[in-house]
């Protein structure tokens, strides 16, 4: 949390959510000289809880936290100081957006929702009872507590594959429970899963119940594995996707799809003027750090134009004929 | 990690130059026959101390310098007291390696200025919550990327309010505490032996736990991340 001195200032843009999307947007907003407030908690968002990122252009491999820290440092270069707090309410009063945190209120001409997602919980008996007692959500945070243990990772996508791979550092055996008939991971991660001697894939398998004493001791399956519907595990890591954090946006009347994702147009605009959204909270199909970052940057540019900023030409060479400004200049030239 | 990688050292030096305006004392407790992590911790802290001329490094023997240990409330080793113009109650038990290196740096910067960096409204709310002493223990591991967020927030609270003291405990070195506090995930916080929570919580929620601990009302666990 950083000290804020200006109380009643009207910001050009309030960015809610400081995952990579919000951080990149804030960096750009700083460059566009927009009076910017970035509020989010926790800093870095979901990417900070994953160990290695190998598909963010320019970095062959780095940890998610490193990536978030780098974008934070980049934003700070342009004078952005993220406020570490939860936004509890948003409203629109007299054409200005009012953003409420636990401690302060901020006013802004535009809003960018980069609120991302939260882990989806597994809705089976025992899941709530054992949350924090063996039902976990972050391999990096909790993996070392499961040294030489047998674990279940529940999920069928790339996050499940990555969680299982992270957990191989500590666990003795890991079962990935996949509801469908294949693990839909990035091909490179799928290959790693298949090569790992510690990981076993249980396809077409659902966990129906989690049981134990003080802590998790076993999962019950809807289909026998090695002739048994009970599997002894000491931990269950859940990676079954996520729920978009769009409730605040909905309060402003922002349109969401049946999944709760904010519906945006190609320019990241929502159905409400001055309200933009980017990253994992939106209805974009392919949700990655790079796509969120790109949307965040685009949103800031739209916000900049919305509050009256002049369009910025992306033409580097005015003599380049495809560039609208260049062709105009060429047209003006005497014969 | 007992040596600080060059690129990280450079970043820290830059931050110290900008933000470390007043002296800080790193008071380290070890013992003659150093415990498994003591030597590494010793080396790491010595290296950090060299990154700014505003940092002093003092080493005490936990057994021989019993009085000093008692004065600073040190009950186990390796232990570090991070002292600024006064003792704000910031302690680090175990090696501050991996992501926890960040918590150490934040602690040093906070005690140097004596400014919690919290918004004034948060300091006021905290003052109303921490009406009696609250001792916060935060259990962490070096690979936990979100732990430094909770640790640094707790350090801010300690700097802002003299009723609050904070121990960051790297659990690999203190397995008996893992059992005592039933640590399955990190970060996990234990306040005054009455209140516990697991996971990363936003500032206001953390302050609510502090209030419960100050009032002596027990709570269970509320996992978030
Ligand atoms: C296990 C795993 C592995 C992954 N691996 C990769 C990978 O290798 N490469 C890749 O490109 N992508 C990867 N991804 C996807 C990538 O992490 C996301 O696409 C990206 O991080 C989304 O960023 P975001 O900023 O849009 O959302 P988030 O990271 O979800 O950030 C949103 C932030 O806003 C905060 N927030 C929400 N509501 C509020 C509020 N009311 N007040 C304050 N703050 C709020 C949230 O708490 C969060 O901190 C992975 C995801 C997972 C889960």
């Amino acid at each position: 949390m950083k000290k804020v001195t200006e109380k009643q200032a009207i910001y050009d843009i309030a960015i809610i959510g400081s995952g990579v999307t919000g951080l990149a947007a804030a960096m750009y907003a700083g460059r566009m000289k927009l009076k910017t407030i970035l509020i989010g908690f926790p800093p870095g968002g979901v990417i900070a809880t994953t160990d290695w990122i190998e598909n963010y252009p320019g970095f062959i491999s780095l940890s998610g936290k490193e990536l978030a820290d780098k974008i934070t440092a980049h934003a700070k270069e342009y004078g952005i100081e993220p406020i570490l707090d939860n936004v509890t309410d948003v409203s629109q009063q007299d054409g200005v957006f009012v953003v409420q945190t636990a401690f302060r209120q901020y006013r802004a001409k535009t809003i960018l929702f980069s609120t991302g997602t939260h882990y989806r919980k597994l809705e089976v008996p025992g899941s709530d009872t054992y949350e924090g007692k063996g039902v976990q959500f972050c391999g990096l945070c909790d993996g070392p507590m499961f040294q030489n243990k047998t674990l279940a990772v529940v999920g069928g996508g790339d996050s499940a594959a990555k969680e299982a791979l992270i957990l191989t550092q500590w666990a003795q055996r890991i079962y990935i429970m996949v509801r469908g008939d294949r693990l839909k991971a990035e091909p490179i991660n799928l290959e790693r899963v298949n090569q790992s001697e510690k990981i076993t894939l249980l396809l077409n398998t659902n966990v129906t119940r989690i049981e134990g004493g003080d802590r998790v001791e076993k999962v019950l399956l809807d289909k026998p594995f090695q002739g048994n519907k009970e599997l002894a595990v000491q931990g269950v890591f859940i990676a079954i996707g996520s729920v978009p954090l769009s409730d605040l946006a909905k309060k402003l009347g922002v349109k969401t799809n049946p999944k709760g994702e904010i519906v945006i147009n190609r320019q990241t605009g929502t159905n409400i003027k001055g309200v933009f959204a980017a990253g994992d909270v939106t209805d974009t199909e392919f949700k990655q750090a790079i796509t969120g970052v790109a949307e965040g940057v685009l949103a800031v540019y739209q916000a900049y134009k919305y509050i009256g900023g002049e369009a910025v030409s992306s033409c580097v060479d005015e003599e380049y004929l495809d560039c609208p400004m260049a062709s105009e200049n060429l047209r003006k030239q005497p014969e | 990690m007992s040596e600080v990688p060059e690129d990280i050292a450079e970043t820290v030096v830059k931050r110290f130059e900008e933000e470390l305006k007043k002296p800080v004392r790193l008071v380290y407790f070890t013992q003659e026959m150093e415990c498994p992590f003591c030597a590494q911790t010793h080396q790491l802290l010595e290296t950090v101390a060299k990154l700014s001329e505003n940092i002093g490094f003092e080493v005490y023997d936990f057994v021989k310098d019993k009085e000093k240990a008692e004065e600073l409330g040190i009950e186990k080793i390796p232990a570090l007291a991070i002292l600024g113009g006064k003792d704000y109650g910031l302690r680090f038990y175990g090696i501050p390696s991996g992501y926890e290196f960040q918590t150490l740096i934040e602690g040093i910067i906070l005690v140097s200025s004596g400014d919690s960096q919290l918004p004034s409204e948060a300091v006021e709310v905290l003052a109303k919550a921490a009406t009696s002493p609250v001792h916060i223990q935060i259990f962490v591991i070096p690979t936990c990327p979100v732990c430094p967020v909770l640790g640094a927030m707790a350090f801010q609270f300690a700097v802002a309010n003299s009723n609050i003291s904070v121990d960051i405990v790297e659990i690999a070195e203190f397995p008996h505490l893992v059992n005592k506090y039933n640590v399955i995930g990190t970060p996990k916080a234990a306040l005054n032996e009455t209140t516990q929570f697991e996971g990363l919580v936003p500032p206001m929620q953390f302050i609510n736990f502090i209030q419960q601990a100050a009032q002596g009302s027990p709570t269970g666990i509320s996992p978030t991340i």
Side-chain angles (χ1 to χ4, degrees):
Chain A
M1 268 187 288
K2 276 275 176 189
K3 201 170 245 176
V4 184
T5 43
E6 277 170 290
K7 260 191 193 169
Q8 287 310 317
I10 296 191
Y11 290 90
D12 292 327
I13 184 165
I15 302 171
I16 306 177
S18 49
V20 284
T21 302
L23 288 165
M27 181 272 281
Y28 245 78
R31 286 180 62 82
M32 305 294 277
K33 299 283 179 199
L34 295 182
K35 195 168 172 55
T36 304
I37 185 98
L38 167 65
I39 311 166
F41 191 89
V46 287
I47 205 138
T49 60
T50 192
D51 209 1
W52 74 95
I53 305 294
E54 294 168 333
N55 50 12
Y56 195 90
F59 300 99
I60 290 166
S61 180
L62 81 176
S63 78
K65 182 158 188 331
E66 262 180 286
L67 179 62
D69 285 350
K70 277 181 193 295
I71 306 179
T72 307
H74 201 164
K76 285 186 176 178
E77 279 295 309
Y78 295 101
I80 307 294
E81 272 301 343
I83 310 251
L84 280 202
D85 207 350
N86 242 11
V87 172
T88 52
D89 195 24
V90 286
S91 56
Q92 200 172 11
Q93 290 166 20
D94 306 325
V96 174
F97 296 103
V98 180
V99 176
Q100 182 71 50
T101 71
F103 304 111
R104 277 198 184 165
Q105 202 173 70
Y106 303 88
R107 299 190 300 152
K109 294 176 197 164
T110 62
I111 284 201
L112 167 57
F113 285 102
S114 50
T115 40
T117 58
H118 204 272
Y119 304 110
R120 184 182 297 281
K121 293 188 178 189
L122 184 66
E123 289 183 5
V124 300
S127 178
D128 278 344
T129 319
Y130 290 104
E131 194 168 317
K133 295 176 186 162
V135 173
Q136 312 293 130
F137 293 87
C138 171
L140 264 187
C141 313
D142 309 334
M145 250 66 74
F146 294 88
Q147 200 87 41
N148 297 322
K149 300 280 195 260
T150 300
L151 302 176
V153 170
V154 182
D158 195 51
S159 328
K162 284 187 77 177
E163 278 291 271
L165 289 165
I166 285 172
L167 289 166
T168 56
Q169 294 173 70
W170 303 287
Q172 188 187 56
R173 173 132 305 279
I174 298 156
Y175 296 96
I176 308 184
M177 319 290 184
V178 184
R179 194 170 48 178
D181 58 3
R182 66 195 173 93
L183 180 65
K184 292 178 189 158
E186 252 198 279
I188 189 161
N189 289 332
L190 187 61
E191 194 174 277
R192 286 171 178 150
V193 164
N194 288 334
Q195 280 167 358
S196 169
E197 286 177 3
K198 287 189 173 181
I199 302 177
T200 307
L201 275 178
L202 303 192
L203 300 176
N204 299 310
T205 303
N206 286 298
V207 169
T208 56
R209 178 183 280 275
I210 300 168
E211 290 185 354
D214 287 346
R215 298 181 179 197
V216 167
E217 288 169 8
K218 62 183 171 202
V219 288
L220 305 191
L221 309 174
D222 65 347
K223 179 184 152 196
F225 169 63
Q226 292 179 341
N228 201 334
K229 279 190 170 183
E230 281 187 15
L231 185 66
V233 295
Q234 290 80 48
V236 183
F237 282 75
I238 313 291
I240 53 170
S242 45
V243 185
L245 293 170
S246 55
D247 283 354
L248 282 176
K250 283 184 204 160
K251 273 192 178 175
L252 282 178
V254 170
K255 198 174 151 200
T256 55
N257 67 13
K259 288 189 213 161
E261 297 165 331
I262 298 176
V263 177
I264 55 168
N265 61 28
R266 279 199 67 190
Q267 305 301 327
T268 71
T270 68
N271 59 313
I272 307 274
K273 279 195 173 141
V275 179
F276 304 88
D280 277 16
V281 74
T282 69
D283 62 346
T284 306
E285 185 188 348
F286 191 48
K287 294 181 167 65
Q288 292 281 283
I290 187 67
T291 55
V293 161
E295 280 173 8
V297 167
L298 186 56
V300 163
Y301 180 56
Q302 297 306 325
Y304 164 84
K305 286 206 304 186
Y306 176 79
I307 61 168
E310 279 197 14
V312 174
S313 165
S314 32
C315 302
V316 277
D317 180 356
E318 295 210 347
E319 301 219 331
Y320 181 52
L321 280 172
D322 284 346
C323 178
M325 248 169 58
S327 29
E328 210 171 283
N329 286 344
L330 286 176
R331 254 183 278 128
K332 279 185 206 152
Q333 275 173 13
E335 301 252 312
Chain B
M1 180 181 70
S2 51
E3 281 301 326
V4 181
E6 221 169 277
D7 55 333
I8 294 179
E10 262 173 41
T11 316
V12 173
V13 168
K14 194 170 160 240
R15 271 198 80 185
F16 282 169
E17 276 169 7
E18 285 164 10
E19 299 177 60
L20 211 66
K21 300 293 178 210
K22 293 189 201 141
V24 173
R25 288 163 61 208
L26 297 183
V27 182
Y28 177 57
F29 289 84
T30 178
Q31 63 186 25
E32 212 163 50
M33 284 285 288
E34 287 198 316
C35 58
F37 290 97
C38 287
Q40 275 171 281
T41 311
H42 192 150
Q43 200 187 338
L44 175 65
L45 295 175
E46 209 165 29
T47 311
V48 170
K50 285 183 188 146
L51 300 180
S52 165
E53 54 188 26
N54 269 333
I55 304 179
F57 183 48
E58 300 165 30
V59 182
Y60 290 95
D61 187 300
F62 181 56
V63 181
K64 288 185 195 152
D65 302 309
K66 204 164 157 253
E67 259 178 39
K68 188 74 184 171
E70 275 171 10
E71 178 197 320
L72 293 172
I74 303 293
E75 288 168 351
K76 51 190 174 282
I77 52 166
L80 170 71
I82 311 171
L83 309 181
K86 63 175 196 178
D87 181 4
Y88 293 97
L90 273 59
R91 305 286 183 267
F92 200 109
Y93 291 97
I95 181 163
S97 64
Y99 289 123
E100 281 312 309
F101 185 67
Q102 203 174 323
T103 314
L104 169 70
I105 303 303
E106 297 303 329
I108 293 174
I109 288 170
L110 283 168
V111 300
S112 168
S113 67
D115 177 358
S116 70
Q117 298 283 337
L118 294 170
S120 54
E121 291 89 339
V123 177
E124 278 164 31
V125 176
L126 187 62
K128 285 184 192 141
T131 48
S132 62
V134 178
H135 176 227
I136 303 172
Q137 296 182 78
I138 297 187
F139 303 103
V140 299
I141 51 172
T143 58
C144 165
V146 297
C147 291
V149 180
L150 196 74
M153 202 196 303
F155 276 173
Q156 286 185 298
F157 292 157
V159 170
N161 192 297
S162 56
N163 264 338
I164 297 171
S165 58
V166 174
D167 296 352
I168 308 288
V169 184
E170 204 289 275
I171 56 175
E173 284 96 311
F174 305 102
H176 64 288
L177 296 179
V178 173
N179 292 332
K180 182 175 173 193
Y181 293 98
N182 198 18
V183 183
I184 299 186
T186 58
K188 172 154 186 176
L191 296 78
N192 277 3
E193 310 294 332
T194 55
T195 306
Q196 293 191 5
F197 68 88
E198 199 173 89
L200 182 57
V201 296
M204 193 58 220
Q205 213 175 324
F206 199 159
I207 293 176
N208 286 340
F209 283 118
I210 290 174
Q211 183 168 23
Q212 285 165 17
Q215 291 168 351
S217 42
T219 53
I221 292 170
S222 95
T224 48
I225 280 195

